[in-house]
Amino acid sequence: MWGGRFERGPAAIMEEINVSVEFDRRLAEQDLAGSRAHAAMLARQGIISPEDGEAIVTGLDQIAAEIREGRFAFSRALEDIHLNIESRLAQIIGAAAGRLHTARSRNDQVATDFRLWVRQACARAEAGLAALQRALLGQAEAHADTIMPGFTHLQPAQPVTFGHHCLAYVEMFARDKDRFAAAAARMNESPLGAAALAGTPFPIDREQTAKALGFDRPMRNSLDAVASRDFALDYLAAASIAAVHLSRLAEEIVIWATPSFGFVKLSDAFSTGSSIMPQKKNPDAAELVRAKIGRILGSFVALTTVMKGLALAYAKDLQEDKEAVFNGADALDLSLAAMAGMMDDLTAVPAKMRAAAEAGFPTATDLADWCVRELQTPFREAHHIAGAIVKRAEELGVTLDQVPLGEMQKIEPRINKAVYAVLPLEASVNARVSFGGTAPVRVREQIAYWREKLS
């Protein structure tokens, strides 16, 4: 397939390092689409005859059916998916197949195929994130009033609702969707027609092929078209950030599912047991999501490392771009599906959440705020008063709302019985009515907002 320059085939080790069809066969659908668009354009421009153009498209359709049905014979000797398809096309339609590569190089061909594939990966990620958001919204809706401890430093901080907690991830995953959408928009330019690196003397119509493949426009510089892989890095960067969010949620599920917390239960569908300990029920799906994030981050680092030292235009190093992206995309797609399944499957345990929220004096800030409002105390002084009352409650072994008024007045004589109205958990949660706050009324407003947005 290389032509007359070479007298002998490659050494065995050269074939081993050079062959890519084992992994780039995943580009078959995109390669066929690009070839159909290119053939139609060549015929329309009079560069090949209409008869040859029709024969090429018919042959490509047959190859598509063979691949779809598992009847296509992939050959390592033909290196990659592109030459495998071209060789099979020659078997089907004869010499006319040789005209398909007119005004085209494997360089712009693979760049086009890969952009098409990554664009679809962005769309899959957006759909997966939306499914996960809907699962989180379902939990938020069911638990807009369910009180749990909010944490800082993994220590009880202030009471929040489980619904509010779930909505935090809805927000994160919305930004992730935006990143994938922006990446897809940036990459939506066609490299096809850039040829090897300098363009082509044939009178091609790059606008036509770009439109046929769903691109917004052709790329403006032929060197950039064949040499750039920032579109793949863009995808992996968005995937890496989404992966971090997935890992954080997975970590919380692992913690929440431990008997020490007991905030949630996972069914048998998303748990496994132990080979030796009969009592074990492990949240392995969450643990595996947490671990698979390393594959995604690793893919971004791997491709960045490939790209960092490449002079323009094409170099064979770029063959290493696909496995990194394929591996990262596989891990992301699976992790999104698993996380959405877990959030749908998860059962919250409100009693455990509330019991944990009652520990650690989480309404101490409400006590300080009351001193600011009712006693006109500067906040720093109010903070000191509340801290001293917390210390006394700890000595007495009671919660803040159980500290006798006399004990509070020993610390601040102006405190009166009205303070008890702000110390229960419900009072604390209901008071957080600022926009974006945890008050159930605000949580339900945000649920309604996201229901409409996701519909």
Side-chain angles (χ1 to χ4, degrees):
M1 299 299 290
W2 292 341
R5 174 67 176 83
F6 290 78
E7 295 180 0
R8 294 183 299 169
I13 193 66
M14 178 61 191
E15 179 177 316
E16 192 64 30
I17 197 172
N18 191 51
V19 70
S20 62
V21 71
E22 280 90 350
F23 56 84
D24 68 17
R25 66 174 64 185
R26 292 178 67 161
L27 298 175
E29 175 189 330
Q30 292 75 24
D31 195 70
L32 290 162
S35 291
R36 288 190 193 96
H38 186 65
M41 181 274 296
L42 292 176
R44 183 175 176 180
Q45 294 297 105
I47 298 170
I48 64 175
S49 69
E51 293 76 19
D52 283 346
E54 185 175 342
I56 288 169
V57 172
T58 299
L60 293 171
D61 288 343
Q62 180 177 329
I63 292 170
E66 290 175 2
I67 293 174
R68 187 169 56 249
E69 296 163 9
R71 296 185 289 111
F72 189 90
F74 293 95
S75 169
R76 285 173 55 88
L78 294 171
E79 292 186 28
D80 57 30
I81 185 61
H82 320 294
L83 295 187
N84 268 265
I85 287 175
E86 187 175 333
S87 176
R88 178 60 181 143
L89 185 64
Q91 294 172 359
I92 295 171
I93 69 171
R99 302 189 187 281
L100 173 60
H101 212 54
T102 306
R104 185 176 75 169
S105 163
R106 273 194 297 181
N107 293 355
D108 64 332
Q109 185 179 0
V110 68
T112 302
D113 295 354
F114 201 26
R115 275 183 187 257
L116 291 171
W117 194 95
V118 177
R119 189 177 69 185
Q120 290 175 340
C122 286
R124 288 199 309 276
E126 287 188 69
L129 286 162
L132 177 51
Q133 284 180 296
R134 285 189 286 271
L136 285 159
L137 271 180
Q139 293 289 351
E141 209 158 23
H143 296 285
D145 296 285
T146 298
I147 293 176
M148 67 175 290
F151 295 97
T152 60
H153 310 277
L154 204 55
Q155 299 293 322
Q158 293 177 328
V160 297
T161 69
F162 186 51
H164 190 59
H165 198 109
C166 290
L167 286 174
Y169 284 103
V170 173
E171 297 280 344
M172 291 183 210
F173 294 131
R175 293 192 295 273
D176 291 329
K177 280 199 308 183
D178 289 345
R179 274 183 277 271
F180 283 111
R186 272 191 296 274
M187 73 180 67
N188 209 33
E189 296 181 331
S190 175
L192 193 57
L197 76 160
T200 175
F202 290 94
I204 62 173
D205 185 346
R206 295 190 62 208
E207 293 282 355
Q208 180 188 336
T209 52
K211 182 178 179 181
L213 294 170
F215 289 113
D216 294 330
R217 64 191 71 84
M219 296 182 73
R220 293 180 177 275
N221 184 283
S222 60
L223 290 168
D224 180 43
V226 300
S228 294
R229 293 296 185 272
D230 55 350
F231 65 92
L233 287 171
D234 226 359
Y235 167 77
L236 288 176
S240 296
I241 297 171
V244 170
H245 293 155
L246 285 168
S247 186
R248 294 182 75 179
L249 180 54
E251 170 73 359
E252 297 214 275
I253 291 173
V254 171
I255 292 172
W256 292 342
T258 62
S260 302
F261 276 72
F263 289 3
V264 302
K265 291 180 180 179
L266 291 171
S267 76
D268 294 351
F270 286 93
S271 306
T272 63
S274 165
S275 63
I276 189 173
M277 295 171 284
Q279 84 280 11
K280 292 298 291 296
K281 190 171 185 180
N282 303 318
D284 280 9
E287 292 173 13
L288 287 167
V289 167
R290 188 175 58 184
K292 284 185 181 295
I293 300 323
R295 294 177 181 248
I296 300 169
L297 299 176
S299 294
F300 178 76
V301 173
L303 183 54
T304 305
T305 306
V306 168
M307 297 303 301
K308 70 174 181 59
L310 295 188
L312 297 181
Y314 182 84
K316 193 69 171 184
D317 309 51
L318 291 176
Q319 182 168 292
E320 292 294 307
D321 59 359
K322 294 164 207 65
E323 282 188 287
V325 174
F326 293 160
N327 290 340
D330 287 347
L332 179 66
D333 291 347
L334 183 56
S335 296
L336 284 170
M339 188 58 75
M342 275 187 288
M343 289 311 302
D344 267 330
D345 176 79
L346 181 147
T347 300
V349 185
K352 283 278 194 177
M353 291 183 177
R354 183 182 181 87
E358 289 171 345
F361 312 105
T363 58
T365 307
D366 299 272
L367 173 55
D369 288 344
W370 183 89
C371 290
V372 170
R373 284 193 313 270
E374 302 301 325
L375 307 181
Q376 301 300 303
T377 308
F379 181 78
R380 285 302 170 203
E381 184 181 339
H383 186 283
H384 181 80
I385 292 168
I389 293 174
V390 165
K391 183 178 179 181
R392 185 58 181 146
E394 197 169 37
E395 292 168 351
L396 295 171
V398 298
T399 59
L400 275 182
D401 58 346
Q402 294 171 337
V403 176
L405 181 60
E407 294 292 333
M408 292 190 191
Q409 289 174 336
K410 288 178 184 178
I411 296 167
E412 171 48 67
R414 294 178 296 161
I415 292 179
N416 58 63
K417 64 180 181 180
V419 74
Y420 291 104
V422 303
L423 297 181
L425 296 178
E426 283 80 8
S428 176
V429 167
N430 289 329
R432 264 62 186 178
V433 293
S434 57
F435 182 78
T438 192
V441 64
R442 293 289 173 256
V443 170
R444 290 190 174 89
E445 286 174 357
Q446 292 304 316
I447 290 169
Y449 168 83
W450 281 110
R451 281 288 181 208
E452 182 177 356
K453 196 169 178 66
L454 286 171
S455 66

